Amino acid sequence: MSQQELELHPRRRGFGRLAKNHPPMRGWLAVPLVGRDGRNLGFVQLSDNEYGSDFDETEEAMLVQLAQVASAAVEQNLTENALRELAATLETLVAEEVNAAKRKTPCDNHRRWRP
């Protein structure tokens, strides 16, 4: 989305009550971070390019590529965190089962067979 597209968007609210404290933005570009399953992971936004104008198509294409790489990195991090949590949960469950097995006494009904 470009600065012009942003300013023309019907849901744009600007910076609201914070507008007076926000520096002016000269040129703006944002692209979404999208997961492989299509879910929204966030977005990357840039403003104030070195020329003080809107970003061009080449800059937009580069930011789209950066967002794709960033999306993959975010998903990888989320997956690694989920695996660490799962491993910790499994470790706790196994330890609980081992401790429970150690506390059990042999069955009193078990008798040795004698011919």
Side-chain angles (χ1 to χ4, degrees), residues 105-111:
T105 58
C107 180
D108 293 334
N109 295 333
H110 182 267
R111 294 192 180 125

Side-chain angles (χ1 to χ4, degrees), residues 12-30:
R12 179 178 185 259
R13 289 178 251 154
F15 296 102
R17 60 183 170 79
L18 302 175
K20 66 179 188 240
N21 297 324
H22 198 282
M25 291 176 30
R26 292 165 297 280
W28 185 78
L29 180 64

Side-chain angles (χ1 to χ4, degrees), residues 31-44 71 74 78:
V31 295
L33 299 176
V34 181
R36 284 174 289 174
D37 59 0
R39 70 184 164 138
N40 180 18
L41 301 173
F43 65 97
V44 178
S71 294
V74 167
L78 292 172

